[in-house]
Amino acid sequence: MEVELEAILIPLTFFFLVGFIVRQTRLRAEHETQRRFELGVRTLERFADPEALEKFLGGAAGQEFLRLLDQGEPPLQRRLLRSVQGGIGLAGLGLAFLVLSAALEGYGDMVIPGVLLFSLGGSLLLGAAVAYKLAQRWEILGDRGRGRSASPYRREVAGA
């Protein structure tokens, strides 16, 4: 069985590209967190006495400053949404590879990357569903994860 070099290099390069993009995204997020931390430390070092620091942190500007510093880790809802979006994207790409390999002759080599991408997308979707169910059971999501009755607009309509 003779395998052409392109049949190996093209899918391999594609997966390396996806890995590179994921790695760069992670590095950028870590750099942003580090930059936010350093900015907070430099800002807090400017206060000479504890009374001025307490007055600043007690005011509206101080609360906004603390809120901006606390945005390093995205909330659970946003992380679940990213997993769902990534899963849908990878599953769709895998499905496109599979349809391409079935519809056109000469593209039978696209079955392997199609199955791999579809499996990765399905795994991300399954992982997001399990995380959502566990977060509901452990009551981590708060009021947002409780379904339709938790909407603030529904309370207004029901109370009117």
Side-chain angles (χ1 to χ4, degrees):
M1 180 168 121
E2 189 176 314
V3 179
E4 292 183 23
L5 186 60
E6 292 90 13
I8 295 172
L9 288 179
I10 291 174
L12 187 63
T13 305
F14 174 73
F15 286 116
F16 278 137
L17 176 66
V18 169
F20 178 75
I21 291 171
V22 168
R23 181 177 177 269
Q24 288 300 102
T25 304
R26 280 254 190 238
L27 287 175
R28 190 175 118 200
E30 288 175 10
H31 177 72
E32 180 67 26
T33 302
Q34 182 67 26
R35 189 180 64 79
R36 190 178 299 121
F37 175 74
E38 289 173 1
L39 175 68
V41 168
R42 283 192 306 235
T43 302
L44 293 177
E45 285 176 348
R46 290 186 178 181
F47 290 97
D49 57 345
E51 291 82 22
L53 177 62
E54 183 179 354
K55 183 179 178 185
F56 171 72
L57 293 177
Q63 295 301 317
E64 180 69 17
F65 173 73
L66 290 176
R67 187 186 64 76
L68 288 174
L69 284 181
D70 195 35
Q71 289 180 349
E73 180 70 22
L76 184 60
Q77 292 91 346
R78 193 175 326 148
R79 288 186 295 184
L80 284 173
L81 182 62
R82 279 192 204 148
S83 291
V84 170
Q85 288 172 335
I88 290 172
L90 286 175
L93 191 58
L95 189 62
F97 273 115
L98 291 174
V99 167
L100 180 68
S101 68
L104 300 174
E105 285 191 34
Y107 287 94
D109 296 337
M110 295 296 168
V111 171
I112 294 172
V115 168
L116 289 175
L117 285 171
F118 191 75
S119 299
L120 284 172
S123 298
L124 276 174
L125 290 172
L126 183 64
V130 168
Y132 179 75
K133 288 297 182 185
L134 287 175
Q136 274 185 330
R137 181 169 290 163
W138 294 337
E139 297 178 353
I140 295 174
L141 288 174
D143 287 340
R144 287 185 179 174
R146 303 224 185 242
R148 298 181 71 144
S149 63
S151 173
Y153 302 110
R154 291 211 178 262
R155 280 189 238 128
E156 286 180 24
V157 172

